[in-house]
């Protein structure tokens, strides 16, 4: 099984982004359980103004859980539903990317420019297609720490 793990920063920031106390620990626990059962975890690290200085340590963390798993570093881009306006101030600006080491900075620069291209494409009446190489099962971490896989969430 290949699954995607998402990290928004270390515990306080991740829990704040997900609006779920304990979600950082549950994410790590679920990933460790999946890896122990032979699964592969791909990771997305979403970078914003609050976790800009944590990128290297976050990479170390996810590599420690699943050494051969791939990871992506993406700029945090608010989707304008729910509390998105509240986090708009955390969106990276081009100048912020100087704090990220290369080649991660080069990757973020490509993705940062791609956001503008996506917006132009949508404004021109186009549609977006995202191709994923991961399964999206619903992973449930019970209070006793056991992890179960439910029906696909997507």
């Amino acid at each position: 099984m290949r699954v995607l793990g998402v990290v928004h920063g270390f515990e306080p920031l991740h829990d704040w982004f997900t609006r779920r106390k304990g979600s950082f620990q549950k994410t790590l626990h679920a990933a460790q359980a999946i890896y122990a059962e032979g699964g592969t975890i791909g990771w997305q690290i979403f970078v914003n103004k609050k976790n800009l200085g944590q990128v290297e340590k976050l990479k170390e963390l996810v590599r420690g859980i699943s050494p051969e798993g791939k990871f992506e570093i993406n700029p945090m881009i608010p989707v304008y539903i729910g509390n998105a306006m509240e986090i708009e101030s955390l969106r990276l600006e081009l100048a912020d990317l100087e704090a990220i080491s290369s080649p991660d900075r080069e990757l973020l620069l490509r993705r940062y420019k791609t956001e503008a291209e996506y917006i132009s494409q949508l404004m021109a009446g186009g549609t977006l297609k995202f191709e994923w190489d991961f399964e999206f099962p619903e992973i449930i971490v019970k209070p006793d720490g056991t992890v179960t896989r439910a029906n696909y969430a997507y």
Side-chain angles (χ1 to χ4, degrees):
M1 167 176 35
R2 294 183 67 196
V3 297
L4 179 66
V6 177
V7 179
H8 299 281
F10 285 98
E11 190 162 7
L13 183 60
H14 180 89
D15 288 1
W16 179 81
F17 261 98
T18 60
R19 302 296 192 251
R20 300 186 133 206
K21 186 171 175 56
S23 70
F24 179 76
Q25 290 300 322
K26 288 181 179 181
T27 298
L28 299 184
H29 180 76
Q32 290 164 339
I34 291 165
Y35 185 73
E37 293 296 321
T40 302
I41 300 100
W43 293 93
Q44 282 191 337
I45 300 171
F46 284 99
V47 183
N48 60 74
K49 287 183 185 255
K50 282 192 174 186
N51 71 3
L52 200 54
Q54 301 175 351
V55 172
E56 290 302 316
K57 293 211 177 283
L58 289 168
K59 285 170 37 179
E60 288 175 25
L61 174 73
V62 299
R63 281 187 183 128
I65 294 172
S66 52
E68 69 283 336
K70 295 180 181 179
F71 65 88
E72 293 183 354
I73 297 175
N74 296 302
M76 184 273 310
I77 301 170
V79 177
Y80 294 96
I81 57 175
N83 68 334
M85 294 307 289
E86 176 183 330
I87 63 173
E88 173 62 31
S89 64
L90 299 180
R91 178 193 293 259
L92 295 176
E93 296 174 21
L94 285 173
D96 295 325
L97 299 180
E98 293 302 316
I100 304 287
S101 64
S102 199
D104 296 333
R105 179 177 52 245
E106 303 308 316
L107 178 63
L108 281 168
L109 280 168
R110 283 197 305 274
R111 293 208 167 127
Y112 191 92
K113 291 176 185 174
T114 302
E115 178 187 3
E117 293 168 4
Y118 283 157
I119 291 168
S120 295
Q121 183 179 345
L122 287 172
M123 290 179 73
T127 58
L128 299 179
K129 180 179 179 186
F130 296 96
E131 295 183 20
W132 296 94
D133 188 21
F134 296 96
E135 298 175 23
F136 285 89
E138 182 178 346
I139 304 295
I140 300 168
V141 181
K142 296 180 180 177
D144 67 0
T146 59
V147 179
T148 59
R149 178 180 171 182
N151 295 330
Y152 286 101
Y154 298 95

